[in-house]
């Protein structure tokens, strides 16, 4: 994976749009736990467009496909084609990397493990997928990559992306599927105090907590939402959404979770899992 660079559009901050866990299908009628994921994905994109947003890049934090098909990934690409900004992506546990890489390699969807953001930030993208299982793990090669990228730019504030949550989110059933070797991840992070932000997907809910001096965030899915702080599998009745992140030169971060309004996406609450 190559290193990339983007410049901030307005010179004030780097603004990122996080979209995650779209779970798209080849079929336009594909549904996950009662929600048509293509329709909810486009409802999110339409809501974002309606605000006439200014931003510098999209970050797609995994589980873009539910059925592993090339067409599901093309549906993701077609959706964000309304914008010219680059999209940086990483795989989730539901993604099939051969198809994902083949489709997403384009001018605006970039496969990078490191992105230099303006003059004061860098972003590191990690692959936490373990094929065939829902939990995540960072290989030694990925941990070394994180350490190398952070060591290369100690003067830059750092944002680290991975799909799996690297600490408990508070839901017993979901926390079984977190990053398995999170201690090794946090040992690397502890050596780099400039690594201020970790952003993940996977948990289908908003999260914003501090850990070891680092702020850990997740965003709502564009389809189904998981109930926070639930011992057993449970769906939430909140709408799909996304997250904005604004990265300032002095290391400050402003962020906001936004959900669609005007229509409601109601899942099948009788579902016991997926």
């Amino acid at each position: 994976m190559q290193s990339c660079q983007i410049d901030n559009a307005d010179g004030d901050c780097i603004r990122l749009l996080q979209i995650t866990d779209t779970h798209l299908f080849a079929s336009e009628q594909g549904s996950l736990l009662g929600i048509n994921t293509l329709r909810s994905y486009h409802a999110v994109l339409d809501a974002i467009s309606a605000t006439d947003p200014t931003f510098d890049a999209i970050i797609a934090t995994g589980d873009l496909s539910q059925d592993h098909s090339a067409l599901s990934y093309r549906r993701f690409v077609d959706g964000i084609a309304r914008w010219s900004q680059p999209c940086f992506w990483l795989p989730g546990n539901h993604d099939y990397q051969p198809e994902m890489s083949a489709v997403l390699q384009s001018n605006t969807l970039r496969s990078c493990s490191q992105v230099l953001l303006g003059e004061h930030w860098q972003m590191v993208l990690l692959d936490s997928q373990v094929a065939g299982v829902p939990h995540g793990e960072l290989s030694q090669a990925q941990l070394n990559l994180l350490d190398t990228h952070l060591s290369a730019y100690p003067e830059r504030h750092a944002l680290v992306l991975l799909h799996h949550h690297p600490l408990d989110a508070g839901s017993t059933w979901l926390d079984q599927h977190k990053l398995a070797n999170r201690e090794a991840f946090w040992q690397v992070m502890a050596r780099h105090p400039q690594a201020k932000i970790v952003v993940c997907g996977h948990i289908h809910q908003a999260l914003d907590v501090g850990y070891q001096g680092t702020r850990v965030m997740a965003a709502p899915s564009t389809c189904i939402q998981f109930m926070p702080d639930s011992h057993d599998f449970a769906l939430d009745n909140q709408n799909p959404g996304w997250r904005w992140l604004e990265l300032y030169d002095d290391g400050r971060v402003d962020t906001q979770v936004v959900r669609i309004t005007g229509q409601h996406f109601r899942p099948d609450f009788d579902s016991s899992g997926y």
Side-chain angles (χ1 to χ4, degrees), residues 111-125:
S111 178
C112 302
S113 62
Q114 179 188 55
V115 185
L116 301 183
L117 303 172
E119 296 181 357
H120 299 280
W121 282 83
Q122 73 159 314
M123 180 167 67
V124 180
L125 294 89

Side-chain angles (χ1 to χ4, degrees), residues 18-256:
Q18 184 191 7
I19 296 175
T20 195
D21 296 271
T22 55
H23 291 275
L24 297 168
F25 295 82
S27 171
E28 293 182 355
Q29 284 72 48
S31 291
L32 181 64
L33 303 182
I35 289 183
N36 181 301
T37 60
L38 183 62
R39 190 165 70 87
S40 63
Y41 173 54
H42 278 277
V44 166
L45 300 181
D46 290 345
I48 296 168
S49 292
T51 67
D52 194 22
T54 298
F55 60 92
D56 300 290
I58 301 166
I59 51 176
T61 46
D63 279 1
L64 304 187
S65 174
Q66 179 65 18
D67 66 1
H68 295 173
S69 67
L71 182 52
S72 65
Y73 291 112
R74 286 198 290 272
R75 294 197 186 283
F76 179 83
V77 174
D78 290 345
I80 63 168
R82 67 185 68 196
W83 297 304
S84 61
Q85 291 90 334
C87 176
F88 302 97
W89 53 272
L90 46 79
N93 53 291
H94 284 275
D95 287 309
Y96 182 56
Q97 293 207 44
E99 293 286 12
M100 188 182 205
S101 297
V103 174
L104 299 189
Q105 299 286 13
S106 70
N107 290 332
T108 56
L109 278 84
R110 303 186 188 178
S111 178
C112 302
S113 62
Q114 179 188 55
V115 185
L116 301 183
L117 303 172
E119 296 181 357
H120 299 280
W121 282 83
Q122 73 159 314
M123 180 167 67
V124 180
L125 294 89
L126 300 175
D127 179 356
S128 60
Q129 185 191 71
V130 182
V133 297
H135 72 263
E137 186 170 342
L138 292 171
S139 66
Q140 189 58 52
Q142 287 291 300
L143 293 169
N144 292 344
L145 188 74
L146 174 63
D147 193 43
T148 297
H149 286 330
L150 294 178
S151 296
Y153 293 95
E155 77 285 359
R156 285 179 176 258
H157 315 297
L159 164 69
V160 178
L161 305 185
L162 71 166
H163 178 69
H164 294 85
H165 54 309
L167 76 178
D168 287 348
S171 294
T172 305
W173 73 272
L174 189 55
D175 287 336
Q176 299 176 84
H177 308 314
K178 60 181 176 289
L179 188 71
N181 61 337
R182 59 199 178 280
E183 295 86 357
F185 169 75
W186 287 113
Q187 286 173 6
V188 175
M189 293 289 287
R191 296 198 290 270
H192 303 281
Q194 82 275 19
K196 297 176 178 293
I197 304 292
V198 174
V199 173
C200 63
H202 192 51
I203 62 173
H204 289 235
Q205 61 191 256
L207 181 73
D208 190 347
V209 297
Y211 184 76
Q212 288 190 184
T214 299
R215 195 171 173 184
V216 181
M217 303 180 196
S221 165
T222 66
C223 56
I224 60 169
Q225 311 303 305
F226 295 146
M227 178 71 73
D229 303 318
S230 174
H231 180 75
D232 298 314
F233 176 87
L235 297 172
D236 200 355
N237 62 2
Q238 292 199 78
N239 257 344
W242 65 95
R243 181 183 287 278
W244 291 113
L245 294 115
E246 295 180 341
L247 313 178
Y248 289 88
D249 292 353
D250 61 2
R252 288 183 298 117
V253 178
D254 286 341
T255 186
Q256 181 184 17

